[in-house]
């Protein structure tokens, strides 16, 4: 029985997927701040790891560096969104 439990995929998708889904789901033209992204993820997936806030911060920073999301005035945008602001720097 332990083998069956170990073989089950996690019901929670990877953080980058959840973050991009949250930004798209919130659909705010001014972007989404970290707390609204967190609330969206908590509302949709319920049980999250105890270190959710730290994981979210780390993944947002990594996604910003890789160019997946754009941070402008504490609001995150999908980099591939049609109305996203231009990349700076």
């Amino acid at each position: 029985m332990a083998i069956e439990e170990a073989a089950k995929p996690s019901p929670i998708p990877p953080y980058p997927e959840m973050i991009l889904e949250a930004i798209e789901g919130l659909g705010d033209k001014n972007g989404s701040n970290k707390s609204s992204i967190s609330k969206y993820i908590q509302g949709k997936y319920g049980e999250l790891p105890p270190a959710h806030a730290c994981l979210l911060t780390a993944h947002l920073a990594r996604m910003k560096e890789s160019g997946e999301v754009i941070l402008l005035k504490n609001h995150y945008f999908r980099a591939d969104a049609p109305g996203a602001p231009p990349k700076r720097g």
Side-chain angles (χ1 to χ4, degrees), residues 70-89:
I70 299 169
L71 177 64
L72 182 65
K73 297 182 182 177
N74 292 326
H75 288 81
Y76 292 91
F77 298 85
R78 286 182 67 128
D80 59 356
K87 293 181 183 177
R88 297 177 71 186

Side-chain angles (χ1 to χ4, degrees), residues 18-84:
M18 291 191 295
I19 290 168
L20 292 174
E21 180 184 334
I23 292 171
E24 189 174 313
L26 291 166
D28 190 353
K29 67 177 182 172
N30 295 323
S32 303
N33 62 22
K34 187 168 64 171
S35 65
S36 63
I37 292 170
S38 178
K39 287 177 186 176
Y40 182 92
I41 292 172
Q42 287 175 339
K44 181 157 184 172
Y45 295 103
E47 280 190 42
L48 295 171
H52 167 69
C54 294
L55 288 168
L56 181 64
T57 301
H59 282 282
L60 282 169
R62 200 173 303 146
M63 291 173 74
K64 184 178 74 167
E65 287 178 17
S66 70
E68 291 179 77
V69 296
I70 299 169
L71 177 64
L72 182 65
K73 297 182 182 177
N74 292 326
H75 288 81
Y76 292 91
F77 298 85
R78 286 182 67 128
D80 59 356

